[in-house]
Each structure stands twice: as structure tokens, then as C-alpha cells.
Amino acid sequence: KRKLQLSPEQCSNFYAEQFGKVFFPNLTAYMSSGPIVAMVLARNCAVSYWKELLGPSNSLRARITHPHSLRALYGTDELRNGLHGSLSISSAEKEIRFLFPEAILEPVPTGQRARDYLNLYVKPTLLAGLTALCKEKPADPM
């Protein structure tokens, strides 16, 4: 999570795929008009899950078709929809690198690579921690 304010030039770079569209100048002006909160969300199928929570990009339409979505609740119109969501995993990686240049992104393992990672790194650490917790038997483990 990071709070920052983007310059109009940074917004133009961030939304470069939208360049040439009629709303582009208003988008970059709006996005650079004040601070934003950028977050990296991590979970299985994060991009599609976040899209589902966001609802349609036009918050006026979202109020009709997805009234409980985040954009329906917090957006004000078709441009000022309150929240951004990456369109794909590759765009999410690009946007994370843009907004968090100090972050180290590694490919998310899947399938056998994910199982190997869990067996090699997560399970031993978890087992050691839980074993230590059982030996201590603290009155309040939290």
C-alpha cells in the first residue's frame, strides 16, 4: 500500500494505452488532481476477483447493473469511477512496477512449481512455528 500523487506526465505514462481517446485529457487531469492510494492485492485469481468487486467502469451504469459493487458505491460518473483495476496479469505486473518501482516481482508459481515452493519454504516454517507454539502452550497465543 502506498499513498502518492502522480504528475500529469506520470498519469499520461500510466494510462498510455488510452492515449488518443476522447476522455484521455480529462482522465490524466483527474488522476493527477490529488493523492491516490495504490495497493497490490495478492490472491488466487486476483485480477478477475478484483474486477468482480469493482463492477463496470462506468459508475453510473454500475449503480444500475451492479449496485453493491465498489464503483457503484464510490464512483461519481463514467470517468470518476473511484477505483482502478488492472485488465490482466501482465498489465498488473506493469502497473505494480510503475507504482512500486522498489518492489521485486517474481513470477507467481503454479501447478507443480507452486507445490514445490510450498513444500520447500512454507510448510517447514509453518511446522516449526506451530511446533514451538505447542511446546510453549502460551495462555494467549496471540
Coordinates of all heavy atoms in Angstrom, one line a residue, residues 51-78 81:
K51 N -11.9 -7.4 -10.4 CA -12.8 -6.9 -11.4 C -14.2 -7.1 -11.0 O -15.1 -6.2 -11.2 CB -12.6 -7.5 -12.8 CG -11.4 -7.0 -13.6 CD -11.4 -7.8 -14.9 CE -10.1 -7.6 -15.6 NZ -10.1 -8.3 -16.9
E52 N -14.5 -8.2 -10.4 CA -15.9 -8.6 -9.9 C -16.3 -7.6 -8.8 O -17.4 -7.1 -8.8 CB -15.9 -10.0 -9.5 CG -17.3 -10.5 -9.1 CD -17.2 -12.0 -8.7 OE1 -16.6 -12.8 -9.4 OE2 -17.9 -12.3 -7.7
L53 N -15.4 -7.3 -7.9 CA -15.7 -6.4 -6.8 C -15.9 -5.0 -7.3 O -16.7 -4.3 -6.8 CB -14.6 -6.4 -5.8 CG -14.4 -7.7 -4.9 CD1 -13.2 -7.6 -4.0 CD2 -15.7 -7.9 -4.0
L54 N -15.1 -4.6 -8.3 CA -15.2 -3.2 -8.8 C -16.5 -3.0 -9.5 O -17.1 -1.9 -9.4 CB -14.0 -3.0 -9.9 CG -12.6 -2.8 -9.3 CD1 -11.7 -2.7 -10.4 CD2 -12.6 -1.6 -8.4
G55 N -16.9 -3.9 -10.4 CA -18.1 -3.7 -11.2 C -17.7 -2.9 -12.5 O -16.6 -2.7 -12.8
P56 N -18.7 -2.5 -13.3 CA -18.5 -1.8 -14.5 C -17.7 -0.6 -14.3 O -17.8 0.1 -13.3 CB -19.9 -1.5 -15.1 CG -20.8 -2.5 -14.4 CD -20.1 -2.8 -13.0
S57 N -16.9 -0.2 -15.3 CA -16.0 1.0 -15.2 C -16.8 2.3 -15.2 O -16.4 3.3 -14.6 CB -15.0 1.1 -16.4 OG -15.7 1.1 -17.6
N58 N -18.0 2.3 -15.7 CA -18.9 3.4 -15.7 C -19.7 3.3 -14.4 O -20.6 2.4 -14.3 CB -19.8 3.5 -16.9 CG -20.8 4.7 -16.9 OD1 -21.2 5.1 -15.9 ND2 -21.1 5.1 -18.1
S59 N -19.4 4.2 -13.4 CA -20.1 4.0 -12.1 C -21.6 4.3 -12.2 O -22.4 3.8 -11.4 CB -19.4 4.9 -11.0 OG -19.4 6.2 -11.4
L60 N -22.0 5.1 -13.2 CA -23.5 5.3 -13.3 C -24.2 4.0 -13.8 O -25.2 3.7 -13.3 CB -23.7 6.4 -14.4 CG -23.1 7.8 -14.0 CD1 -23.4 8.8 -15.1 CD2 -23.7 8.3 -12.7
R61 N -23.5 3.3 -14.7 CA -24.1 2.0 -15.1 C -24.0 1.0 -14.0 O -24.9 0.2 -13.8 CB -23.3 1.5 -16.4 CG -23.9 0.2 -16.9 CD -23.2 -0.3 -18.2 NE -23.1 0.8 -19.2 CZ -22.0 1.2 -19.7 NH1 -20.8 0.7 -19.4 NH2 -22.0 2.1 -20.7
A62 N -22.9 1.1 -13.2 CA -22.7 0.1 -12.1 C -23.8 0.2 -11.1 O -24.2 -0.8 -10.5 CB -21.3 0.4 -11.5
R63 N -24.3 1.4 -10.9 CA -25.4 1.6 -9.9 C -26.6 0.9 -10.3 O -27.4 0.4 -9.5 CB -25.7 3.1 -9.7 CG -24.6 3.8 -8.9 CD -25.1 5.2 -8.5 NE -24.0 5.9 -7.9 CZ -23.3 6.9 -8.5 NH1 -23.6 7.3 -9.7 NH2 -22.2 7.4 -7.9
I64 N -26.8 0.7 -11.6 CA -28.0 0.0 -12.1 C -27.8 -1.5 -12.2 O -28.6 -2.2 -11.7 CB -28.4 0.6 -13.5 CG1 -28.7 2.1 -13.4 CG2 -29.5 -0.2 -14.2 CD1 -28.8 2.8 -14.8
T65 N -26.6 -1.9 -12.8 CA -26.4 -3.3 -13.0 C -25.7 -4.0 -11.9 O -25.9 -5.2 -11.7 CB -25.6 -3.5 -14.3 OG1 -24.3 -2.9 -14.2 CG2 -26.3 -2.9 -15.5
H66 N -24.9 -3.3 -11.1 CA -24.1 -4.0 -10.0 C -24.1 -3.0 -8.8 O -23.1 -2.4 -8.4 CB -22.7 -4.2 -10.4 CG -22.5 -5.2 -11.6 ND1 -22.8 -4.8 -12.9 CD2 -22.2 -6.5 -11.6 CE1 -22.6 -5.9 -13.6 NE2 -22.2 -6.9 -12.9
P67 N -25.3 -2.8 -8.2 CA -25.5 -1.8 -7.2 C -24.6 -1.9 -5.9 O -24.4 -1.0 -5.2 CB -27.0 -1.9 -6.8 CG -27.4 -3.2 -7.2 CD -26.5 -3.6 -8.4
H68 N -24.1 -3.1 -5.7 CA -23.2 -3.3 -4.5 C -21.8 -3.3 -4.8 O -20.9 -3.6 -3.9 CB -23.6 -4.7 -3.8 CG -25.0 -4.7 -3.3 ND1 -25.5 -3.9 -2.3 CD2 -26.1 -5.4 -3.8 CE1 -26.8 -4.1 -2.2 NE2 -27.2 -5.0 -3.1
S69 N -21.4 -3.1 -6.1 CA -20.0 -3.0 -6.5 C -19.3 -1.8 -5.9 O -20.0 -0.8 -5.5 CB -19.9 -3.0 -8.0 OG -20.4 -1.8 -8.6
L70 N -18.0 -1.8 -5.8 CA -17.3 -0.7 -5.3 C -17.4 0.6 -6.1 O -17.6 1.7 -5.6 CB -15.8 -1.0 -5.2 CG -15.5 -2.2 -4.2 CD1 -14.0 -2.6 -4.3 CD2 -15.8 -1.7 -2.8
R71 N -17.5 0.5 -7.4 CA -17.7 1.6 -8.3 C -19.1 2.2 -8.2 O -19.2 3.4 -8.2 CB -17.3 1.3 -9.7 CG -15.8 1.1 -9.9 CD -15.5 0.8 -11.3 NE -14.0 0.8 -11.6 CZ -13.4 0.1 -12.5 NH1 -14.1 -0.7 -13.3 NH2 -12.1 0.2 -12.6
A72 N -20.1 1.4 -8.0 CA -21.4 1.9 -7.7 C -21.5 2.6 -6.4 O -22.2 3.7 -6.3 CB -22.4 0.7 -7.7
L73 N -20.8 2.2 -5.4 CA -20.8 2.8 -4.1 C -19.9 4.1 -4.1 O -20.3 5.0 -3.4 CB -20.3 1.8 -3.1 CG -21.2 0.6 -2.9 CD1 -20.5 -0.4 -2.0 CD2 -22.5 1.0 -2.3
Y74 N -18.8 4.1 -4.7 CA -17.8 5.2 -4.5 C -17.5 6.0 -5.8 O -17.0 7.1 -5.7 CB -16.5 4.6 -4.0 CG -16.6 3.9 -2.7 CD1 -16.6 2.5 -2.6 CD2 -16.9 4.6 -1.5 CE1 -16.8 1.9 -1.4 CE2 -17.1 4.0 -0.3 CZ -17.0 2.6 -0.3 OH -17.2 2.0 0.9
G75 N -17.9 5.6 -7.0 CA -17.7 6.4 -8.2 C -18.8 7.5 -8.3 O -19.8 7.4 -7.7
T76 N -18.5 8.5 -9.1 CA -19.4 9.6 -9.3 C -20.0 9.7 -10.7 O -21.1 10.2 -10.9 CB -18.8 10.9 -8.9 OG1 -17.6 11.2 -9.7 CG2 -18.4 11.0 -7.4
D77 N -19.2 9.2 -11.7 CA -19.7 9.3 -13.0 C -18.9 8.3 -13.9 O -18.2 7.4 -13.4 CB -19.6 10.7 -13.6 CG -18.2 11.3 -13.5 OD1 -17.2 10.6 -13.8 OD2 -18.1 12.5 -13.3
E78 N -19.0 8.4 -15.2 CA -18.3 7.4 -16.1 C -16.8 7.6 -16.1 O -16.1 6.6 -16.4 CB -18.8 7.5 -17.5 CG -18.7 8.8 -18.2 CD -19.8 9.8 -18.0 OE1 -20.8 9.4 -17.4 OE2 -19.7 11.0 -18.3
N81 N -14.7 7.0 -11.5 CA -15.3 5.7 -11.0 C -14.7 5.3 -9.7 O -15.1 4.2 -9.2 CB -15.3 4.6 -12.1 CG -13.9 4.2 -12.5 OD1 -12.9 4.5 -11.8 ND2 -13.7 3.6 -13.6

